[in-house]
Amino acid sequence: TILFLRACLALLAMPIYLLSFLGIWKPFSRKVFFPFFLEKLSGIHEKKTKKHKQELFHNLSDFSSPSGELKLLEIGTGYGTNFQFYPPGCKVTCTDINPNFQQGLLRSISKNQHIHYEGFLVAAGEDLYQVPSGSVDAVICTFVLCSVQNVNGTLKEALRVLRPGGAFYFLEHVAADHASWKYFWQQIFYPTWKLVFDGCCLTREIWKNLEQAKFSELSLNHISIALPWTPIQPHVMGYAVK
């Protein structure tokens, strides 16, 4: 049944599959479609996640360095929708594998003058070679681990760049319970969704990666955030200490 419904969905999305086969879709998606889609979705998405992000980031200042300075590194910054939740005076370095977010990111920076913008690095989460080891107080990663090439590699890099006592903050959508209808639909949407939305995987059990990473402390909560007309609902959020 799943294979049949996957095929039906692929048939509906056949033009995108054809463009992908010809090597046209990925560059078009990264430069035009995905930034446009993400900017339009962010308004709706932020309303759904605002209270959760307020709760998630409320203790960011607790991880300031002994000097009182708070250096943040955000993986997969996108349009900078997290900036509004960061404490005043913090220094933020942004990274994203897609350089086409920079224009929207600068608009977000202009609206959030309470933070100090340190710069933008074009980098994948699994390879933050431009960031020195032990140089940041907190790493932020929201709705990014679903689409990185290697979740464990990204967590390893987060651990490397964090100073001892620093924290990794996360908010991610994850696979639903395997016995649920939600998981059934996630499996059906999976191949087409991943193609259309720049590698986003619907069925990753990210909490397992976090539990197996070499953090000394993990505060993790399973929550529900329903995004209309999508197979996304279960999420995990929290922070892990190095």
Side-chain angles (χ1 to χ4, degrees), residues 39-76:
E39 188 170 25
K40 297 302 180 184
L41 180 68
S42 62
I44 300 171
H45 195 253
E46 282 307 301
K47 290 179 182 178
K48 294 282 185 179
T49 60
K50 185 173 182 178
K51 67 176 182 178
H52 297 290
K53 287 187 176 182
Q54 288 173 334
E55 180 185 348
L56 174 64
F57 295 126
H58 81 279
N59 67 340
L60 253 178
S61 296
D62 294 348
F63 294 97
S64 299
S65 65
S67 66
E69 189 175 60
L70 179 62
K71 291 184 178 181
L72 307 181
L73 174 74
E74 183 162 356
I75 299 174

Side-chain angles (χ1 to χ4, degrees), residues 3-25:
L3 291 176
F4 172 74
L5 292 174
R6 276 183 177 180
C8 292
L9 188 59
L11 191 62
L12 291 173
M14 186 56 67
I16 295 176
Y17 277 92
L18 180 59
L19 290 173
S20 178
F21 176 76
L22 296 173
I24 298 172
W25 174 253

Side-chain angles (χ1 to χ4, degrees), residues 9 173-176 180-190 193 197 201-203 225-235:
L9 188 59
H173 67 82
V174 294
S180 67
W181 278 107
K182 184 66 70 175
Y183 185 68
F184 173 78
W185 287 108
Q186 284 180 337
Q187 290 183 88
I188 291 166
F189 274 89
Y190 178 87
W193 185 278
F197 298 112
C201 298
L202 293 169
T203 57
I225 306 174
L227 299 181
W229 307 104
T230 76
I232 294 174
Q233 185 169 352
H235 290 67

Side-chain angles (χ1 to χ4, degrees), residues 143-156:
F143 304 105
V144 174
L145 294 178
C146 60
S147 56
V148 296
Q149 292 291 323
N150 187 320
V151 176
N152 291 331
T154 301
L155 296 178
K156 185 177 180 181

